[in-house]
Amino acid sequence: MALAPPLRRPPRFRPVLAVVAVVAALALPVTPGGEGGAGPADALSALAVGFCAVRLLRDRRRPLGRSAALVLGLPVAGLSLAAMNAVAPGAGISGLGRYLQIFVLVPAAVVLLVRDRSDLRLLAWSFVALAGWQGGIGVHQYLTGTGASYQGEDVRAVGTFGASDVMGMATVVAFGLVCAVGLALGRSAARERGLAAGCALLLLLPLALSFSRGAWIATAVTLTVQLTLSGLRRALRVGAVVVAACVVLVGGLGVGTAMLQERIDSIGQVADAPDQSVTDRYTMWAAAVDMWREHPLTGVGLKGFPEYRDGHASLALSSGSDTEGAGAAFRRQPLLSPHNMYLLVLGEQGLIGLLCLAGGWLALLVCALRGLWRVRAAGGAGLECPLIACGLLVWQLVDFAYADIGGPSTVLTAVCFGLVAWWALVGGDRVGTGPGTAVPGGRRAPAGQAALR
């Protein structure tokens, strides 16, 4: 009598795939010259939040523990107060919804949909894949002269985000580069680390061709932090390789070398001889500070910066920035934000709003670093997870000094904060505990329920 073959258990659906779908949606092209608004990735992020809510109702369990709920929900207080002080009720409601999406709802959903470190690595690799796709398009735009306009030539790499969001591709590529470096510095299989290192080196080229000074600075600071956290000797070895790769890449760019050199030199000229974009930025920074001085606690209200800008800005401010290329016609884009997240929050939400938002980010950074020390003390297994989380958070906090939220790529910032929050509030506490986490009463909780403590 023949024995029946053993039944194979069908593969289980991984909830983190809902988050990966949000990342993948950012590979879709943006309508050239579009006016912005919600895109496919924003719609999928809303579906991911709804999917997470359905799972919570079905399982009938508390979504987050007290500490996680406090850190993730801290911005709600300042946002609600600023929404009530908005110039128009519609602006307050729409601004509140956008801030909640980016800093509360989507990050909380990511925390609940990521189950373990393998999910975090999968999400990190999706960042790398998206960066490779957008970076490849950006390099093609530079080589064929089909990118956004820069110094009279259509050579600026912007990926599928178009000329209206020149920071979009730079942000995506920088996130992918940070994730790739974290994976390469970890303790996973040699093949995976080698692949990640190769991806990191390749992503340096599209990042350079984005001509984004803020992304360059944030990436340089972040990679230095990641290398230092991984070990001093390794930092020196990898740093030498990165410098050599940069020399080779820049030396092989031909005509682009002069443009890159001029762009790099302009970083040191922000005080002596700033260009018009830097002058506009300084002027808007001063305007945001002036708004805060008039309304120190609550600010001028959500989405109030454009309404109050002209009353607080000097005559040095231009009427807007010119955008052209990458399939879009010439357009004068108005300056609706100070391009500094901290000053934007300070001007619109006041000191209360800034303390709530920045306080949550600082708590995430402290908890993420604490988890990294635990991994190092436990032998270093899984080191890539804290390196990725700490790197993404450091990059975002540095970049917020030169940029703010806005554009199709903003939803990736929300996923980034969710990934960081999972490690800081859940994953870092599991070091040395195996796939499950102990809960009061001596039971072992499933991996996805570690936030219930």
Side-chain angles (χ1 to χ4, degrees):
M1 181 178 179
L3 296 177
L7 296 177
R8 291 185 177 182
R9 179 179 298 179
R12 296 182 60 184
F13 173 75
R14 300 177 70 172
V16 74
L17 293 178
V19 185
V20 173
V22 176
V23 178
L26 288 169
L28 300 176
V30 178
T31 303
E35 296 295 332
D42 294 286
L44 282 177
S45 71
L47 291 177
V49 172
F51 170 68
C52 182
V54 169
R55 292 185 71 242
L56 294 176
L57 292 175
R58 184 194 63 187
D59 297 340
R60 297 180 181 179
R61 61 186 179 91
R62 287 189 305 156
L64 296 168
R66 286 191 295 268
S67 59
L70 176 62
V71 173
L72 292 174
L74 189 60
V76 176
L79 290 172
S80 301
L81 189 59
M84 291 188 292
N85 293 328
V87 177
I93 294 174
S94 62
L96 178 63
R98 184 62 164 168
Y99 272 96
L100 289 178
Q101 174 202 10
I102 303 304
F103 297 115
V104 180
L105 296 178
V106 174
V110 174
V111 170
L112 295 167
L113 294 176
V114 173
R115 298 177 303 176
D116 49 35
R117 297 181 200 175
S118 64
D119 282 354
L120 187 146
R121 285 191 289 268
L122 174 62
L123 191 55
W125 274 113
S126 71
F127 275 54
V128 176
L130 176 64
W133 168 256
Q134 292 288 355
I137 294 176
V139 172
H140 178 267
Q141 290 170 336
Y142 173 82
L143 295 176
T144 58
T146 56
S149 178
Y150 178 76
Q151 294 185 351
E153 301 181 47
D154 294 342
V155 295
R156 187 168 191 175
V158 292
T160 64
F161 297 102
S164 61
D165 186 16
V166 293
M167 280 294 296
M169 191 212 74
T171 300
V172 168
V173 171
F175 281 162
L177 178 57
V178 171
C179 289
V181 170
L183 289 165
L185 295 175
R187 303 292 176 84
S188 56
R191 181 179 298 179
E192 182 179 5
R193 287 187 280 113
L195 178 61
C199 291
L201 292 176
L202 291 176
L203 290 176
L204 289 173
L205 179 58
L207 182 63
L209 297 179
S210 71
F211 296 105
S212 174
R213 293 170 293 195
W216 292 348
I217 295 172
T219 303
V221 172
T222 302
L223 297 187
T224 302
V225 170
Q226 285 183 302
L227 289 171
T228 303
L229 293 176
S230 68
L232 187 57
R233 291 183 179 179
R234 176 182 287 185
L236 294 176
R237 291 197 304 267
V238 177
V241 173
V242 171
V243 171
C246 290
V247 171
V248 172
L249 290 175
V250 173
L253 289 179
V255 177
T257 303
M259 291 185 176
L260 283 174
Q261 186 62 48
E262 181 180 351
R263 193 66 166 172
I264 293 172
D265 292 341
S266 69
I267 296 175
Q269 298 172 353
V270 294
D272 298 331
D275 56 30
Q276 185 59 47
S277 65
V278 176
T279 300
D280 288 341
R281 188 162 300 187
Y282 283 167
T283 305
M284 291 188 294
W285 288 3
V289 173
D290 200 33
M291 295 176 197
W292 167 69
R293 287 173 178 168
E294 289 190 1
H295 306 82
L297 291 180
T298 60
V300 297
L302 291 182
K303 291 198 170 183
F305 182 85
E307 299 293 333
Y308 289 85
R309 181 199 62 190
D310 294 339
H312 295 81
S314 67
L315 296 178
L317 182 66
S318 64
S319 59
S321 59
D322 298 337
T323 61
E324 188 179 8
F330 175 83
R331 179 187 174 195
R332 191 72 173 169
Q333 192 168 351
L335 304 174
L336 303 179
S337 70
H339 297 290
N340 182 304
M341 190 65 196
Y342 304 108
L343 293 180
L344 175 63
V345 173
L346 189 65
E348 291 189 345
Q349 303 178 38
L351 191 59
I352 295 176
L354 181 62
L355 289 177
C356 290
L357 267 175
W361 300 338
L362 181 59
L364 290 178
L365 181 60
V366 172
C367 293
L369 289 174
R370 183 185 63 181
L372 184 142
W373 305 140
R374 290 178 175 175
V375 170
R376 296 289 296 269
L383 183 63
E384 63 275 5
C385 294
L387 289 178
I388 292 169
C390 293
L392 289 175
L393 184 55
V394 168
W395 191 95
Q396 193 64 75
L397 295 181
V398 174
D399 184 70
F400 273 165
Y402 308 95
D404 47 49
I405 59 174
S409 61
T410 301
V411 69
L412 194 64
T413 299
V415 177
C416 166
F417 274 112
L419 185 153
V420 173
W422 182 85
W423 171 258
L425 303 174
V426 180
D429 291 337
R430 296 185 188 172
V431 176
T433 61
T437 301
V439 296
R443 295 183 296 107
R444 300 289 292 179
Q449 300 185 18
L452 302 183
R453 296 191 305 277

